[in-house]
Amino acid sequence: MSVISLTIPARSKDLGGFTVGRILPFAKRHLVGPFIFLDHMGPAQFEAGQGMDVRPHPHIGLATVTYLFEGSMFHRDSLGSEQEILAGAVNWMTAGRGITHSERNSDAQRAQTRTVHGLQSWVALPKEFEEVEPSFHHHAAESLPAFDIGHVALKLIAGSAYGHTAPVKIFSPLFYVEAKMPAGTQLQVPAEYAERALYLISGQVSIDGETVEERTMPVFEEGANVIITATSDAHLVLLGGANLPEQRYIFWNFVSTSEARIEQAKADWKAGRFAKVPGDNEFIPLPE
């Protein structure tokens, strides 16, 4: 019996001039632990004068996690946060009862040709924390645990794994790890979490004799002993965590255990009742 229960491919999604690979949610699998959304951004090259412009938009019931491998972005939100997002740093925004944010390139960033490459994920909040006060926390690259297991280089983005814990405040047990595996190396997937998956950014690995292709996510059977073998130099992330027992509803940028709460958020955004991003008067309309 395979240790892989499902393999999810990244599907191309146009975000208005910027194409991403969408992995989660998937028709047959909405969450892996608390992770309910995962986009692979790039690598995309922007010429001088061009830039990324994700206009202000709302969230409820989740935390966004932005992690770049290359390049930079500029985050602004309705709390007044202004933060340049650099490669290797973690930016964790807890939406809770509601927040608005934008992700753009600054004038300085637009002045030069550059590449942007990274992952954008959403972590669903446990029911008891869905309506917490919104917050934003930046964690510089050097504050995150970086360590080696054999010849495999690992970096803990959030949660706990391999005896390390990241400084990022989380709301339910989870792990989110970046791994760089030279060809021929092996790595065991943390066994202490009920739900676990791998997303292969580049290269090729095999698991229990099965080849994993680039830009796919194998989701593992609960309790299985999973050993990753790098058949070429490989770059990947491991993620997962405890199961969230309640069903999650998702519409656009809203996640909740309550359909009525999502309807309220839709009405609030349409009516302009969400807080605004200071200095950024544009917005993305509610999809109809």
Side-chain angles (χ1 to χ4, degrees), residues 190-273:
E192 63 267 31
Y193 295 97
E195 300 188 358
R196 302 166 296 160
L198 172 163
Y199 178 67
L200 185 57
I201 298 152
S202 63
Q204 191 176 83
V205 302
S206 68
I207 297 170
D208 205 22
E210 294 186 52
T211 297
V212 177
E213 302 293 344
E214 283 187 1
R215 295 177 175 256
T216 66
M217 171 182 276
V219 181
F220 306 122
E221 294 284 354
E222 184 173 348
N225 181 37
V226 183
I227 306 292
I228 306 163
T229 300
T231 49
S232 73
D233 290 351
H235 184 197
L236 55 95
V237 291
L238 301 169
L239 58 83
N243 171 265
L244 296 180
E246 310 88 1
Q247 180 178 350
R248 288 306 186 281
Y249 299 97
I250 182 169
F251 173 84
W252 192 37
N253 303 310
F254 304 136
V255 170
S256 180
T257 55
S258 163
E259 288 183 284
R261 180 67 181 91
I262 286 183
E263 290 302 315
Q264 182 62 57
K266 289 162 66 174
D268 287 344
W269 182 249
K270 200 168 182 178
R273 289 190 287 265

Side-chain angles (χ1 to χ4, degrees), residues 164-181:
H164 297 267
T165 298
V168 180
K169 180 184 177 181
I170 59 174
F171 293 85
S172 65
L174 64 85
F175 72 108
Y176 192 11
V177 182
E178 179 186 16
K180 294 181 179 177
M181 300 182 67

Side-chain angles (χ1 to χ4, degrees), residues 73-91:
M73 296 160 49
F74 203 84
H75 165 97
R76 290 185 177 88
D77 63 41
S78 50
L79 302 175
S81 312
E82 295 188 359
Q83 179 64 53
E84 185 176 19
I85 300 175
L86 300 172
V90 166
N91 295 270

Side-chain angles (χ1 to χ4, degrees), residues 27-282:
K28 296 180 180 178
R29 183 84 188 213
H30 284 183
L31 294 97
V32 177
F35 289 87
I36 196 168
F37 179 95
L38 183 65
D39 269 359
H40 184 181
M41 306 179 290
Q45 182 166 306
F46 292 95
E47 301 298 327
Q50 296 179 329
M52 180 188 297
D53 282 297
V54 181
R55 293 169 291 161
H57 57 280
H59 290 286
I60 65 162
L62 56 86
T64 66
V65 191
T66 305
Y67 187 76
L68 298 180
F69 309 122
E70 187 176 357
S72 60
M73 296 160 49
F74 203 84
H75 165 97
R76 290 185 177 88
D77 63 41
S78 50
L79 302 175
S81 312
E82 295 188 359
Q83 179 64 53
E84 185 176 19
I85 300 175
L86 300 172
V90 166
N91 295 270
W92 180 290
M93 184 184 76
T94 302
R97 62 178 176 78
I99 198 168
T100 308
H101 77 133
S102 65
E103 292 160 310
R104 299 185 184 267
N105 286 131
S106 66
D107 291 342
Q109 291 166 356
R110 292 173 199 269
Q112 54 193 333
T113 299
R114 69 215 173 279
T115 299
V116 175
H117 186 205
L119 297 174
Q120 177 79 53
S121 56
W122 299 352
V123 174
L125 298 176
K127 186 175 182 179
E128 62 269 29
F129 295 115
E130 285 184 309
E131 298 295 324
V132 297
E133 288 295 308
S135 61
F136 175 81
H137 297 283
H138 170 79
H139 299 273
E142 58 271 17
S143 72
L144 303 173
F147 51 97
D148 295 337
I149 296 179
H151 295 289
V152 178
L154 297 155
K155 186 171 183 180
L156 189 58
I157 300 169
S160 298
Y162 302 111
H164 297 267
T165 298
V168 180
K169 180 184 177 181
I170 59 174
F171 293 85
S172 65
L174 64 85
F175 72 108
Y176 192 11
V177 182
E178 179 186 16
K180 294 181 179 177
M181 300 182 67
T185 58
Q186 290 190 318
L187 180 67
Q188 184 172 20
V189 178
E192 63 267 31
Y193 295 97
E195 300 188 358
R196 302 166 296 160
L198 172 163
Y199 178 67
L200 185 57
I201 298 152
S202 63
Q204 191 176 83
V205 302
S206 68
I207 297 170
D208 205 22
E210 294 186 52
T211 297
V212 177
E213 302 293 344
E214 283 187 1
R215 295 177 175 256
T216 66
M217 171 182 276
V219 181
F220 306 122
E221 294 284 354
E222 184 173 348
N225 181 37
V226 183
I227 306 292
I228 306 163
T229 300
T231 49
S232 73
D233 290 351
H235 184 197
L236 55 95
V237 291
L238 301 169
L239 58 83
N243 171 265
L244 296 180
E246 310 88 1
Q247 180 178 350
R248 288 306 186 281
Y249 299 97
I250 182 169
F251 173 84
W252 192 37
N253 303 310
F254 304 136
V255 170
S256 180
T257 55
S258 163
E259 288 183 284
R261 180 67 181 91
I262 286 183
E263 290 302 315
Q264 182 62 57
K266 289 162 66 174
D268 287 344
W269 182 249
K270 200 168 182 178
R273 289 190 287 265
F274 271 81
K276 305 290 192 295
V277 176
D280 196 335
N281 296 319
E282 292 189 294

